[in-house]
Amino acid sequence: MKRILKKTALFTVVVFIVFALVASNGMTQRTLSTQRLPIKNCSNLPANQPFSQPCIETTTVSTSPTPIFLPSLNLQLTNQQRFLTTITDKLPIIPQAGTFEYILLRAYGGAFVNHAPAVKLPPKVVFTNEQETKKYQATLTLSKVNDTNECYLQKTAADAFNQARSQVHIPLKSGYGPSDCTRSFATNLRFWQKYADSKTLEKVREGIETAILGIVAPPGSSQHLWGLAIDLYVSNQAQRQALSQHGWVQTVENDMPHWTYIGYPQEKLTEFGFQSKVVRGITYWVTPL
Ligand SMILES: [Zn+2]
């Protein structure tokens, strides 16, 4: 018993040291493993179900295993710490507070808590050009959403969406089209130029313009580039419930048609530090940054 207490105390101390370093440096590389938690075998889980907790494939042989943290283990963490702890194995470099990248992480970074094993997150929050975007997109396994015209998502996200849609009819925003689903850098740029310009981008970079982020994503930063977002026409509670049950939630404040595949039902999100924000009757799950 004494030994366990000692271990727990040691773990708490190590966790606080890690966060002290994060806070003092602002920028941190991948957090070092402080404690390995039991690895849950994902292969036994029913396909396409949202996972109740992060899990990794045990079949993968790795000399330096990726640490998995369960923020709920330490109730003393702030929401921000919980969130950053959860995404630390998914986003190699956490942007420094106050930077353009940090602003984008705040607006669109909710998807980084997704720990479904086949889901691939981007290596950074903003791609600089088409080439870089394509290089990442080439690594994705995409799948077409049933009964759509060229609407592609990452396979896990598409499967989860198809399941939600088998419970209740959920139309795409445009009705059928590819622009609601995975987009190219060029499409992201074209949408941006429709609503904003370089002056707007400068204001976003300075942190004085945030409302535009709920209307259109700056070039290279849209969740639609990641194959984990879809624009829908949702009009009732049954649709919302089916989407949440299958890991689809609204993470971008004020972007009414926009849904993000996060891999967890919304009830789970406070454990990762998310805050719910109701705007005009719609609940958005925003990052605590
Ligand atoms: Zn969208």
Side-chain angles (χ1 to χ4, degrees), residues 107-153:
Y108 309 128
F112 282 96
V113 303
N114 196 319
H115 279 74
V119 163
K120 278 193 186 152
L121 277 311
K124 50 185 186 169
V125 293
V126 56
F127 290 115
T128 47
N129 53 43
E130 185 79 81
Q131 195 189 5
E132 210 177 65
T133 310
K134 277 188 173 161
K135 197 177 157 195
Y136 158 70
Q137 288 183 336
T139 68
L140 306 178
T141 304
L142 297 176
S143 179
K144 194 162 85 77
V145 173
N146 294 343
D147 307 318
T148 63
N149 176 23
E150 306 297 307
C151 167
Y152 285 95
L153 297 171

Side-chain angles (χ1 to χ4, degrees), residues 22-23 25-29 80 83-84 87-88 91-106 109 112 123-126 289:
V22 171
N25 291 341
M27 175 91 69
T28 180
Q29 296 292 324
Q80 189 186 48
F83 179 74
L84 292 175
I87 69 166
T88 192
L91 188 62
I93 298 173
I94 303 292
Q96 193 172 359
T99 61
F100 179 49
E101 287 79 6
Y102 191 84
I103 290 166
L104 296 174
L105 180 66
R106 180 195 296 139
F112 282 96
K124 50 185 186 169
V125 293
V126 56
L289 301 178

